[in-house]
Amino acid sequence: MQDRYVFRELLSEMKALADQKENRLTTEEIRAYFHNTHLTEEQFQLVFEYLAGEKIEIVGYKKPKKESLVPKQEEQTDVGEETEEETDYLKLYADELARIHKLKDEEEMELFDRVLKGDSLAKSRLTENYLSLVYDISRTFAYGSLSQEDLIQEGNIGLILALEELEKREKLEDYREFLYTSIAKSMEDAVNEQQDVKEMDERIAERVNHLDEAVKNLERDLEHKVSVEELSAYLDMPAEEIEDIMRMAGDKLDISRKQERS
């Protein structure tokens, strides 16, 4: 479980680093950041795809052809409504997954045993084999707060983590159940996180609107641009709290930060 937290923390650090570098990272930087995680090349490609899905430019990463069918975030319709481009992308992706050779039970069990011994090729083959499971699980979340494409990316990360955390099990069904649970949990966490962000945004919007209404009312009464101090007295609200709301609102609130002295 600790590996899961470390991996998630590394992903968060990579996104924070991208913010500092004009939303641009290189594959070398990403590989260096994850050098202790023992990811296979197949898994690194999924990490690159995940970060690219976060609207980060990955220098040195050639996106799969299917990526061009994915609409930009700002062009997407309301959650739960698929655009024609998204539908085409998902169909193409499903067709590609259908062409992957499915493992026989004995082959799959052997690969799990080899992964436990540190065989990176076995890990890559299992990663590829379970991409279709990620796709299938994503369909059960398709009408949540994330698009199916985003859920697939989150599920792929869950798959990577599951194979990194793999422990010995006696039956193939136990391995499969573990991967299924890990993938579904990764998607569920992402949906919950997105919902938390949405609720926080709504609370911020309510506070900004409340403050904006108070500003308009006070300016109408005083007939001049109000200051934070005047607004604080009017609302009986600490000036520090008003300053916090102003920072969250950006340029949406026009309030003088210091009362002018005569």
Side-chain angles (χ1 to χ4, degrees):
M1 188 61 66
Q2 183 65 26
D3 288 344
R4 181 176 297 268
Y5 293 135
V6 170
F7 191 88
R8 283 291 183 184
E9 184 64 26
L10 288 174
L11 284 176
S12 296
E13 289 176 4
M14 290 308 303
K15 289 190 281 188
L17 179 62
D19 286 340
Q20 298 171 14
K21 303 185 70 172
E22 298 181 346
N23 227 31
R24 195 168 183 263
L25 296 172
T26 67
T27 55
E28 289 79 9
E29 288 174 320
I30 297 170
R31 290 181 188 278
Y33 236 80
F34 286 89
H35 74 282
N36 287 328
T37 59
H38 310 295
L39 297 182
T40 67
E41 185 58 32
E42 177 87 19
Q43 292 176 327
F44 264 118
Q45 293 301 314
L46 295 179
V47 170
F48 296 153
E49 185 174 353
Y50 174 84
L51 292 172
E54 296 292 314
K55 312 308 173 190
I56 298 171
E57 180 185 355
I58 310 298
V59 179
Y61 168 58
K62 186 176 181 181
K63 295 180 181 180
K65 188 175 181 181
K66 66 177 185 293
E67 189 75 9
S68 63
L69 295 174
V70 181
K72 292 185 175 65
Q73 186 71 28
E74 59 268 20
E75 295 173 352
Q76 292 182 355
T77 58
D78 293 338
V79 175
E81 298 179 7
E82 283 185 6
T83 66
E84 183 177 351
E85 289 84 1
E86 285 176 312
T87 302
D88 289 343
Y89 156 73
L90 292 170
K91 183 179 183 304
L92 177 60
Y93 187 63
D95 289 344
E96 290 178 352
L97 293 178
R99 288 195 288 270
I100 296 175
H101 171 70
K102 296 300 179 184
L103 297 169
K104 296 180 180 178
D105 288 358
E106 56 271 22
E107 292 176 325
E108 192 175 336
M109 191 65 178
E110 180 185 355
L111 287 173
F112 278 118
D113 289 338
R114 285 166 53 188
V115 167
L116 292 171
K117 297 174 182 177
D119 189 328
S120 59
L121 290 178
K123 190 186 294 182
S124 291
R125 185 65 185 93
L126 280 175
T127 299
E128 180 185 50
N129 187 67
Y130 275 89
L131 290 177
S132 58
L133 177 62
V134 173
Y135 174 81
D136 290 340
I137 297 175
S138 74
R139 298 176 65 186
T140 68
F141 288 86
Y143 297 100
S145 58
L146 289 176
S147 70
Q148 189 175 353
E149 193 231 340
D150 288 336
L151 288 167
I152 289 172
Q153 291 176 347
E154 293 291 343
N156 287 343
I157 295 299
L159 174 58
I160 291 174
L161 290 169
L163 290 173
E164 292 300 309
E165 299 167 351
L166 198 65
E167 296 179 353
K168 177 67 177 177
R169 285 165 168 77
E170 297 303 322
K171 297 186 295 184
L172 179 59
E173 289 75 14
D174 293 337
Y175 283 120
R176 289 172 173 172
E177 182 180 355
F178 171 67
L179 293 188
Y180 182 98
T181 301
S182 296
I183 293 166
K185 180 67 164 55
S186 187
M187 293 185 192
E188 183 180 352
D189 288 347
V191 169
N192 290 338
E193 182 180 345
Q194 181 72 10
Q195 184 61 34
D196 289 343
V197 170
K198 180 181 177 182
E199 291 175 357
M200 182 180 296
D201 288 344
E202 289 174 350
R203 288 195 295 270
I204 291 173
E206 288 177 2
R207 298 180 72 190
V208 170
N209 291 337
H210 173 65
L211 202 60
D212 184 49
E213 184 67 25
V215 169
K216 291 176 181 177
N217 290 339
L218 192 55
E219 286 184 344
R220 185 178 61 247
D221 294 342
L222 300 179
E223 297 183 346
H224 66 73
K225 182 178 177 181
V226 300
S227 68
V228 170
E229 292 82 0
E230 289 171 326
L231 196 56
S232 174
Y234 177 70
L235 293 174
D236 193 21
M237 178 186 293
E240 293 79 6
E241 185 175 346
I242 294 175
E243 293 276 5
D244 287 341
I245 298 174
M246 289 171 62
R247 281 191 289 270
M248 290 185 290
D251 58 359
K252 295 180 181 178
L253 289 174
D254 186 17
I255 306 172
S256 175
R257 291 185 180 271
K258 287 187 178 180
Q259 189 171 9
E260 294 182 1
R261 305 289 182 184
S262 56

